[in-house]
Structures are given as C-alpha cells and as structure tokens.
Amino acid sequence: MLKRPSLLSYLLVLLIFLSPACGADDSSETTVTPPAVKKIKVPRFERDSAYAYLETQVNFGPRVPNTEEHRQCKEWLVGQFKQFGAKVIEQDFQTTAYTGTVLNSTNIIAQYNPEATKRVLLAAHWDSRPFADSPLSEGPRNKAILGADDGGSGVAVLLEVARLLNETPIEMGVDIVLFDAEDYGDSDTHTPDSYALGSQYWSRNMHLGGQQRPKYGILLDMVGSNNARFPKEYYSTQFAPRIVNKVWKLAQNMGYGNHFVDATSGAIADDHYYVNTIARIPMIDIINRQPGTQTGFGEYWHTHNDNMDIIDKRTLRAVGQVVLAVIYRENNGEF
Ligand code: AHN
Ligand code: ZN
C-alpha cells in the first residue's frame, strides 16, 4: 500500500522551490526588483484624547452664537489648533437666522501645509442648538442644547486628527474647517437654507482658491453616539459617489462595518450640501441616521438628552481611524 507523503516531505519540496538557486540560470540572471512596498503608517487614533476634547467643549455649556460660552469655546478651539501646529484663520461673519436674529459667527479654519496644491477638506460644525425642537423633546424646549453629539463629536474627532497631523506630518495639504451657525435652523416650517449658515458663507468666501481647491471633503456630523449608524447619505451618493464608496469600503475592511453600514439614507441639507453646490467641492457627510425613530436621527437629536450620556468613545475612534486612514493613504497616492 502506498504511504501518503508526510507533511515533512511537502515542506521539503516547498523549501527547494523557494530556495534562491532553484531554477535560476545564474549566467543570464536578470534581477527582478520587487516593487517597493511602501508601508503606510497610519497613526493610532486615541479615543480617550478625543473624548476629553468632547468633554471640554460640553463643559463650556451650549455653544450658541452671541453667547459668552460660544466665544470662550472659540478661543479654546483656536488655541488647540495653534498648539497642534496649524495655521489658523478665524473667518468672522454676520449672518441672519430665520428668526431675524443677527448671529456673530466665526468659521474656524486650521490648515496643514497651507502652500500644498494637493489638499483634502475635513469639516464639522462647532455651534450647538439654541432650543430643543424635536417632537421627542420632553420638558421645556426653550433652552439651549449641550450638543455633545450634534456639534461636539465631529469637532472632537477633528481635534484629535489635528494633534496627530502635527505628530506625524504629511506632505499633502489638509484644511480642517469648523463651521459656525449650522444648527440655528428651522425644522418646523422648513425655511429653506435656514441651517448651515456658516458653510453657506464659507462656500461663497473660500479661504483658498484656484490651485489650492481641495480635491474632496469629508463632513462629520453626529459621529459619537452609542450604536451610531452611518448609511450613505443621499447627497453624498449624488455629488461624491466615488468618495463615499471608497470610504465605506475602507471602513468595512477596517472592521467598522457595524457603523458604516451598506445602506443609503435620505437627503440631509447639511453643510456638505452647500460645499457641493456652491463651492463645488465633492463632499460626503458621515451622519448618524436611525431608521426606527420618528425623526430619522438618534432619539436624543435636538433634545436635551444630547449630552455625554449618549457618547461612546468607540464610535469616535471608528470614525477618527477611518478619517486618518483616508488622509494618510491619500498622502501616499493610495486612496
Ligand atoms: C436637517 O436637515 C433637519 N438638519 C440639517 C442637518 C443637521 C442639523 N445636522 C445637525 N443638526
Ligand atoms: Zn442639529
């Protein structure tokens, strides 16, 4: 009876084939240099660090334009970005809310490699809402919202990204823009363009021009809550289909498919809508949508429950690590 070759003999054959001399004709040797394997080192996103940046924002109180809390938080944000080596521009503007109130507002812009022509835009809004208009809101509505998720979370992730861009520099340009006056809009009568006043202003008064227009942008809005679910948002799929598909695929390959789900959701007139239509930069929105609720957002959305209790560091980390992977890969021409 024939004996089955042992594992050892398989290994021996394998070894012979793999040995350098095997099959090689020494006299006519052509050296095949393997393509240089560039190892992309993506820094580790520290979720505790991002969480602390979120706590600090919330500790100022609600960041509603025309308030002292808003002004103090602005000073802190500008100081942080400067500490992280960014060139900071405070883009002050006045805008009139749908209520008729004139809002003294500031878009905070933090630039890395301001001269670079290859650039990517990252954004979030840093203001929080002046009142709770959700049908799910309980108790007095006429009080400003802390906005841990709606506002704070995206800013916290971008601060940690800024810290890491300073620690592990790249050649590509990055523009981090914190839009103001995003959340002073009207959800009841749906006044057109009442939200996203800061991004409307920025899109008409861009701090960069010509050669330095970012290739594309990523907006973070409500990226810190527990069980956050990010379907591909409608405008993102219309204006930036290539980017949205690549980001979601990358996120899923990184093991974050629990958040970056294979689904699409309805259109949100968020900051990216104006960046797409006015500034004409393809921009996607990573935004938490919950299909089971009355509002389509998390239960806490535009209620006073939007506080630290609904925040999960793991969500901040998932989003932050994906954003970093995009940036450091793009820097290497591999995104
Ligand atoms: C709505 O479309 C209802 N709001 C604009 C997006 C938004 C509000 N993001 C956070 N708050
Ligand atoms: Zn909001």
Side-chain angles (χ1 to χ4, degrees):
M1 199 167 108
L2 265 169
K3 201 168 157 284
R4 267 202 317 147
S6 69
L7 180 65
L8 190 70
S9 46
Y10 272 126
L11 285 175
L12 262 169
V13 171
L14 194 69
L15 203 70
I16 291 161
F17 267 95
L18 288 178
S19 71
C22 180
D25 179 357
D26 279 350
S27 54
S28 64
E29 193 183 13
T30 50
T31 316
V32 181
T33 321
V37 183
K38 277 190 286 178
K39 189 105 173 65
I40 304 172
K41 180 120 175 53
V42 181
R44 198 176 109 107
F45 186 91
E46 296 295 344
R47 60 189 186 181
D48 290 333
S49 174
Y51 188 84
Y53 298 142
L54 181 45
E55 275 186 317
T56 304
Q57 290 175 77
V58 166
N59 286 342
F60 282 109
R63 283 88 58 215
V64 178
N66 297 349
T67 66
E68 184 57 20
E69 294 83 354
H70 180 262
R71 202 192 55 74
Q72 282 179 3
C73 186
K74 176 181 71 179
E75 295 307 319
W76 177 73
L77 290 167
V78 168
Q80 287 299 116
F81 282 128
K82 285 185 177 164
Q83 195 185 312
F84 300 147
K87 179 186 166 200
V88 182
I89 301 170
E90 294 176 56
Q91 186 182 54
D92 296 326
F93 62 100
Q94 286 193 322
T95 184
T96 307
Y98 76 98
T99 53
T101 311
V102 175
L103 308 176
N104 297 303
S105 313
T106 307
N107 291 327
I108 302 166
I109 302 163
Q111 295 191 283
Y112 289 88
N113 303 318
E115 307 303 328
T117 51
K118 179 181 171 181
R119 316 189 65 76
V120 170
L121 169 67
L122 305 174
H125 72 91
W126 73 274
D127 62 311
S128 74
R129 197 163 168 74
F131 28 71
D133 63 330
S134 165
L136 301 172
S137 178
E138 291 161 354
R141 293 186 175 196
N142 204 11
K143 218 181 80 186
I145 290 177
L146 274 179
D149 201 32
D150 194 355
S153 62
V155 172
V157 168
L158 295 182
L159 282 170
E160 175 63 3
V161 167
R163 185 183 73 80
L164 293 165
L165 280 171
N166 188 40
E167 199 174 87
T168 310
I170 56 176
E171 299 81 50
M172 185 178 80
V174 176
D175 295 285
I176 297 176
V177 182
L178 303 184
F179 295 121
D180 201 355
E182 188 278 339
D183 224 356
Y184 215 110
D186 170 23
S187 294
D188 295 328
T189 59
H190 300 281
T191 311
D193 304 328
S194 64
Y195 280 94
L197 301 176
S199 53
Q200 293 183 54
Y201 183 87
W202 181 82
S203 297
R204 294 191 169 95
N205 302 277
M206 250 206 284
H207 69 283
L208 310 147
Q211 291 261 298
Q212 278 155 322
R213 288 171 60 82
K215 273 175 77 176
Y216 57 87
I218 301 176
L219 175 67
L220 310 180
D221 194 4
M222 299 189 274
V223 292
S225 80
N226 42 42
N227 302 315
R229 180 178 167 275
F230 309 122
K232 297 172 182 172
E233 181 273 340
Y234 178 80
Y235 287 134
S236 311
T237 65
Q238 294 304 299
F239 291 116
R242 215 175 53 85
I243 305 303
V244 80
N245 289 331
K246 275 207 288 187
V247 170
W248 259 247
K249 199 167 172 183
L250 176 62
Q252 288 163 0
N253 288 340
M254 289 168 70
Y256 298 127
N258 55 331
H259 296 297
F260 290 79
V261 294
D262 254 324
T264 52
S265 76
I268 302 294
D270 209 340
D271 291 315
H272 73 310
Y273 175 73
Y274 300 98
V275 173
N276 276 300
T277 57
I278 302 172
R280 300 210 168 273
I281 296 168
M283 186 176 214
I284 64 166
D285 191 9
I286 301 178
I287 182 167
N288 179 26
R289 302 302 309 276
Q290 299 290 335
T293 69
Q294 197 181 337
T295 61
F297 297 104
E299 303 256 337
Y300 60 86
W301 179 77
H302 289 196
T303 79
H304 293 112
N305 293 331
D306 186 357
N307 57 37
M308 294 307 283
D309 295 346
I310 55 105
I311 297 299
D312 188 334
K313 292 177 187 189
R314 291 173 301 180
T315 309
L316 295 172
R317 198 263 315 269
V319 173
Q321 200 62 72
V322 168
V323 169
L324 285 172
V326 171
I327 293 297
Y328 282 78
R329 279 165 180 263
E330 185 65 72
N331 180 55
N332 257 6
E334 290 181 31
F335 176 69

